[in-house]
Amino acid sequence: MYKHIQLLGWQIAVPVVAGIVVAAWFGMAARQPISLAVCLVLVMALILFGSLTVTVDETAILVAFAPGLIRKPIPHAGDSACRSVRNKWY
């Protein structure tokens, strides 16, 4: 069995957390419920998409985001071959 967990990188986490802090600060200072709603949406996005887990076992490949609410099993019946690849970042 193979399992790999990819965590949220700081390049995304820092701006999202800064957005949460700014939205919460403006929401409390101006008493604007829309700012607090934006803050809630950003927190939920961090919880739901904070990590990606790929698990390969004898029956299927399972791809799931952080808590496992959003997941996709891919049965091995459709697999014909596999190979290692290297993708360029640009």
Side-chain angles (χ1 to χ4, degrees), residues 2-90:
Y2 170 80
K3 184 174 185 177
H4 178 75
I5 300 172
Q6 182 176 350
L7 298 175
L8 184 70
W10 65 269
Q11 299 91 342
I12 295 174
V14 170
V16 170
V17 170
I20 292 170
V21 169
V22 168
W25 184 68
F26 279 123
M28 290 183 187
R31 297 190 191 273
Q32 294 292 325
I34 190 71
S35 295
L36 297 177
V38 168
C39 184
L40 180 65
V41 167
L42 289 174
V43 168
M44 291 303 296
L46 276 179
I47 292 170
L48 290 175
F49 301 105
S51 68
L52 175 67
T53 303
V54 177
T55 306
V56 180
D57 62 11
E58 295 81 22
T59 60
I61 301 168
L62 179 66
V63 181
F65 283 105
L69 294 175
I70 302 169
R71 60 183 164 173
K72 173 76 175 178
I74 304 166
H76 283 307
D79 296 345
S80 59
C82 66
R83 64 184 171 97
S84 179
V85 297
R86 189 153 193 96
N87 297 324
K88 298 184 189 235
W89 64 270
Y90 55 90

